[in-house]
Amino acid sequence: MNSYDLMIIGPATRDVNIDYTGAEDRCVGGAVTFCTPAARATGAKVFAAVKANLEDQDVLKPLGGDPADAALLPSAKTTLMRNEYFTADRERRNSSCPAQSDPVLPEEIPDVPCRLYHLAGLLYGDFPDALIEKLHQLGLVSADAQGFLRHNENGTLCFHDWEKKMKYLPYMDFLKTDAAEAEILTGLTDRAAAARQLHEWGAKEIVISHNSEILAYDGERYCTCPIKARNLSGRTGRGDTTFGSYLAMRMLGADMEEALLYATACVSLKMETPGPFTGTREDVQAYIREFYQG
């Protein structure tokens, strides 16, 4: 049986994206869809556990890799998302969710050896508390805060603080938020201060994404790295690409600074092209040499 560096767990989505010009694009989305290819490009061994209706086998295609390194977890529905962007940089958008997949149940997690389990959630309810507790017993745990803050309220997406954050943040060996989510969790607008607060509440290592830079903090030091994308046509999936590649590099032995540089370069390159990252580790290293070390 294969042994994996990390397992990425979460719902795939059917996305309808409408840009600021009114142009419409339909594609497969979801945090797992963007995390997995970016993580695999590092050379890490990655297993993807994807929640979707079993008839939607095509949602596995954007993940790349060997089909044996992925599993479709059954759901009555596949999550449907509609994103309307109001600006060219895609920073302002309105999202709605006409359908949400079933929760990922503890007994559905594939029984394969794995060092880190990443909860790549989209919506509150994707991951029950019992799942967090089971994964904590199996290995390291990481999570995207989005999956605990963004609520689907009759199709409208609303953000609320995580009621059980004090209990479950100490279970998180890695935690990813964006700047807005960090403020919801901590009440702090300063990203460094928010990362420090999240660490004090128990999360071991925090990554906070922003449109200008990515920040990482492990309780001892801060690292930041600027985003250098030359265009933002592939803005969707920014945080997931960043964190997927960051986690993979950490699992491969990179320190926090090296992992952050790689992840920020990877997402900068990815944002220049719509869709999940399709490049290689060598492509990212070349981008680093040209734009970060030149």
Side-chain angles (χ1 to χ4, degrees):
M1 183 180 293
N2 285 335
S3 179
Y4 295 90
D5 297 303
L6 65 157
M7 181 184 294
I8 299 174
I9 306 162
T13 66
R14 297 288 190 195
D15 285 357
V16 178
N17 296 313
I18 303 168
D19 74 12
Y20 74 106
T21 68
E24 183 178 301
D25 173 61
R26 294 175 181 265
C27 61
V28 177
V32 66
T33 303
F34 288 96
C35 277
T36 303
R40 285 178 169 164
T42 67
K45 287 285 291 178
V46 180
F47 192 95
V50 183
K51 192 75 171 179
N53 187 282
L54 293 180
E55 294 183 358
D56 291 336
Q57 294 284 333
D58 64 295
V59 300
L60 299 178
K61 187 175 181 180
L63 304 179
D66 190 324
D69 295 332
L72 203 59
L73 312 183
S75 174
K77 299 176 180 177
T78 296
T79 299
L80 303 177
M81 299 289 287
R82 184 179 188 276
N83 301 302
E84 185 174 2
Y85 296 94
F86 302 112
T87 57
D89 62 9
R90 297 200 167 196
E91 285 300 316
R92 291 183 57 244
R93 68 179 177 181
N94 180 58
S95 298
S96 58
C97 180
Q100 182 174 354
S101 65
D102 299 329
V104 177
L105 303 178
E107 59 268 25
E108 293 176 327
I109 298 301
D111 185 17
V112 295
C114 187
R115 295 166 57 208
L116 169 69
Y117 298 85
H118 175 50
L119 296 170
L122 296 170
L123 299 160
Y124 182 82
D126 285 343
F127 306 124
D129 297 342
L131 178 65
I132 303 173
E133 293 168 6
K134 173 179 178 172
L135 298 180
H136 181 59
Q137 295 171 355
L138 293 177
L140 299 172
V141 178
S142 66
D144 187 327
Q146 174 179 259
F148 302 98
L149 302 182
R150 190 163 69 165
H151 293 242
N152 180 15
E153 299 179 354
N154 298 316
T156 300
L157 300 180
C158 303
F159 283 83
H160 304 293
D161 196 6
W162 186 10
E163 183 179 342
K164 296 185 178 180
K165 66 186 177 187
M166 293 303 187
K167 179 175 182 179
Y168 289 113
L169 282 174
Y171 286 61
M172 301 300 163
D173 296 282
F174 300 91
L175 178 71
K176 181 263 172 187
T177 81
D178 65 18
E181 292 159 356
E183 183 178 354
I184 292 168
L185 283 165
T186 66
L188 301 169
T189 56
D190 180 273
R191 296 189 296 280
R196 183 170 63 249
Q197 181 66 80
L198 291 167
H199 185 272
E200 290 175 358
W201 285 341
K204 313 287 188 302
E205 191 164 311
I206 297 94
V207 173
I208 300 179
S209 63
H210 184 262
N211 60 13
S212 64
E213 67 176 14
I214 312 296
L215 176 148
Y217 178 66
D218 64 357
E220 296 183 359
R221 63 182 181 135
Y222 295 96
C223 294
T224 60
C225 195
I227 289 175
K228 298 195 174 186
R230 291 165 289 185
N231 74 76
L232 299 175
S233 61
R235 159 67 180 83
T236 301
R238 179 181 70 192
D240 303 314
T241 301
T242 300
F243 205 43
S245 53
Y246 182 87
L247 291 172
M249 290 296 288
R250 294 293 276 134
M251 290 300 97
L252 291 174
D255 64 18
M256 186 171 68
E257 187 172 12
E258 181 185 356
L260 185 65
L261 172 61
Y262 179 92
T264 310
C266 180
V267 75
S268 295
L269 177 57
K270 173 262 173 296
M271 285 200 295
E272 296 177 2
T273 307
F277 183 65
T278 58
T280 65
R281 182 164 177 165
E282 290 71 27
D283 293 331
V284 178
Q285 296 293 354
Y287 197 93
I288 290 172
R289 289 192 295 271
E290 182 173 358
F291 296 104
Y292 289 88
Q293 297 174 342

